[in-house]
Amino acid sequence: MVKAIPRIGSRRNGRMGSRKSGRRIPKGVIHVQASFNNTIITITDVRGRVVCWSSAGACGFKGTKRGTPFAAQTAAGDAIRTVVDQGMQRAEVMIKGPGLGRDAALRAIRRSGILLTFIRDVTPMPHNGCRPPKKRRI
């Protein structure tokens, strides 16, 4: 189940448009967050405004099944189907996290027909981490 976020018109001048049709976006950024428990796919335009998102949990997977590669593949396909309908042709991919769904989500994105300009791993890495707590004295 994908969540599309259409942005048309403004509330102030009273013309909101219909909730169903969003604006045309030829180029976007696909963010894949793959944790051990879930995979979240967020698709934004180049300015960073969220166009739609999907996750393994929102697709109906429960419990430990959310962390599986198949759940990630389903979530990615679900999110991409929505933006392809809105006219997206090119995208950049940012992958974050250590989860099992990384490769499966990327495979689903590749198969969708969207031209990928680049794929970047943005997993945060500690350079030396936090300072450990001082040793306990007996």
Side-chain angles (χ1 to χ4, degrees):
M1 180 174 140
V2 72
K3 308 284 185 192
I5 302 165
R7 285 210 183 16
I8 329 135
S10 69
R11 282 184 196 276
R12 206 173 301 141
N13 63 13
R15 48 179 201 89
M16 258 309 274
S18 72
R19 289 268 306 150
K20 287 292 179 196
S21 63
R23 60 185 188 283
R24 308 288 290 169
I25 38 167
K27 191 170 191 280
V29 184
I30 302 170
H31 299 270
V32 179
Q33 287 180 280
S35 69
F36 291 118
N37 298 321
N38 203 356
T39 304
I40 303 167
I41 315 289
T42 310
I43 302 176
T44 65
D45 59 7
V46 284
R47 289 178 59 187
R49 297 176 301 187
V50 174
V51 178
C52 76
W53 66 270
S54 183
S55 69
C59 288
F61 292 93
K62 296 273 185 259
T64 53
K65 293 181 185 72
R66 287 183 309 187
T68 61
F70 177 68
Q73 180 184 322
T74 309
D78 205 18
I80 285 166
R81 204 171 307 119
T82 310
V83 289
V84 166
D85 293 344
Q86 289 183 11
M88 186 183 280
Q89 289 128 11
R90 285 174 289 128
E92 304 165 357
V93 180
M94 308 287 195
I95 301 178
K96 183 189 285 187
L100 298 169
R102 293 166 57 101
D103 299 333
L106 185 57
R107 226 174 288 126
I109 293 166
R110 271 256 165 79
R111 273 203 307 264
S112 68
I114 291 179
L115 185 74
L116 302 182
T117 50
F118 70 83
I119 301 163
R120 180 178 288 169
D121 187 3
V122 290
T123 306
M125 288 284 180
H127 290 278
N128 207 5
C130 300
R131 182 175 172 160
K134 64 182 184 183
K135 297 287 181 269
R136 267 184 69 192
R137 282 197 226 107
I138 302 168

